[in-house]
Amino acid sequence: MSVVIEDRRIPGPHGEIPLRLYTPDSAPPTVNLVWAHGGAFAVGDLDMPESDWVARQLADRGIRVVAVDYRLAPVPRSLAVQLEGQHGGDTGSHYPVASEEVTAVFSWAVHAFGGTWALGGASAGADLAAGATLRLRDAGGRLPAGLLLAYPIVHAELPPLTAELAHQAASLPGRSAFPPDTVLAMNLNYVRDPALLREPYAFPGGHDLTGLPPVFIVNSDADTLRASGQQFAAELALAGTDVTVVREKGTQHGHLNLPDDPAATRSIARMATWLLSPTLN
């Protein structure tokens, strides 16, 4: 299936928001997705595989995708290893900017195209998608038909690791390890004000999750952030939400950024199957 790709800019609450629209050129899509890449809230763009490759793969399976180029927080020196040495100084946009932009794009897409829309993202982008869903719920707006989260970090502080996960984490190299202090530094960099760590739209984990749509979570395997995805799945289930959670064996955090890894393709297949399932349609 061929895909039509178009870059757009739409008005947003903090200025124009760049988007990339991926539209299958055959039959009209039965389901659509607004998608937010990850990058510790501070790096990433529409060209990274976690955005562009993921969107192309899903569109090739008949799903229209709107990828969001939300405004990023500054890149802190304390996270230089995890962010591949990038450091952007002290400029950038803190919470709630990215959260409000993802919410605005979802509402725009629903109005512009109609049909069934899911909302999702990877890592920090998954947190933005989950927070946007809480915003929409509380505002009485139209909710996504489903919430798709890839290896999410949705808690202000990393939940405790299980013994199994701690064993796997012990062998991770520095760039792939996200210990609790690194996670807290990343999240503080995003919100700037420590009091906002308790804000449910900033980090939905541990807050009221009632009334949410069905949720699909795909976690990486050897990934300390899996503790957040696993705990969030349990919290969703306790809130009465239809939740499916899977672990992609043999992967580390951010595996959707590795298109040549067969595990990334397996995750795409899982995600597409869920999006096209009767659960959402």
Side-chain angles (χ1 to χ4, degrees):
M1 180 182 299
S2 60
V3 176
V4 177
I5 300 173
E6 178 186 0
D7 286 330
R8 292 192 186 183
R9 303 178 76 90
I10 67 166
H14 304 279
E16 287 191 328
I17 307 172
L19 310 173
R20 187 167 292 165
L21 179 62
Y22 301 76
T23 306
D25 71 350
S26 56
T30 59
V31 67
N32 311 272
L33 173 70
V34 170
W35 179 254
H37 65 78
F41 304 105
V43 298
D45 56 35
L46 296 179
D47 294 324
M48 66 189 293
E50 198 175 72
S51 184
D52 184 66
W53 179 76
V54 168
R56 289 173 186 267
Q57 291 294 309
L58 294 175
D60 196 48
R61 290 162 170 80
I63 300 160
R64 179 193 280 123
V65 180
V66 175
V68 187
D69 198 11
Y70 56 86
R71 283 169 171 79
L72 300 171
V75 180
R77 291 180 178 83
S78 60
L79 299 180
V81 172
Q82 280 74 16
L83 301 182
E84 300 182 349
Q86 300 180 69
H87 174 59
D90 298 324
T91 61
S93 299
H94 296 276
Y95 174 84
V97 173
S99 176
E100 292 177 347
E101 290 189 327
V102 171
T103 308
V105 171
F106 179 81
S107 296
W108 170 84
V110 168
H111 177 76
F113 298 104
T116 300
W117 281 88
L119 178 56
S123 193
D127 177 72
L128 296 176
T133 302
L134 292 192
R135 286 182 183 277
L136 292 163
R137 179 200 64 184
D138 294 347
R142 176 170 164 179
L143 286 174
L147 185 57
L148 175 62
L149 308 178
Y151 36 84
I153 173 62
V154 288
H155 294 85
E157 297 188 46
L158 188 67
L161 307 188
T162 64
E164 171 270 327
L165 183 51
H167 178 73
Q168 292 214 53
S171 62
L172 289 173
R175 181 168 291 178
S176 300
F178 291 87
D181 58 343
T182 297
V183 173
L184 182 58
M186 174 183 75
N187 292 347
L188 274 171
N189 180 66
Y190 168 49
V191 299
R192 185 167 48 184
D193 180 355
L196 293 177
L197 290 171
R198 299 188 294 274
E199 166 66 49
Y201 303 151
F203 297 103
H207 294 283
D208 176 16
L209 302 177
T210 57
L212 296 189
V215 180
F216 182 88
I217 300 173
V218 56
N219 287 319
S220 298
D221 187 10
D223 177 12
T224 53
L225 299 188
R226 173 155 61 89
S228 184
Q230 290 176 162
Q231 182 159 313
F232 197 55
E235 293 168 358
L236 288 163
L238 286 172
T241 299
D242 178 354
V243 58
T244 302
V245 58
V246 298
R247 174 174 41 153
E248 202 65 75
K249 292 292 185 69
T251 58
Q252 294 182 9
H253 188 77
H255 68 269
L256 291 177
N257 261 322
L258 303 171
D260 293 333
D261 186 341
T265 301
R266 290 199 303 271
S267 289
I268 290 290
R270 297 182 195 274
M271 293 157 61
T273 297
W274 183 78
L275 287 167
L276 294 168
S277 70
T279 301
L280 272 65
N281 297 278

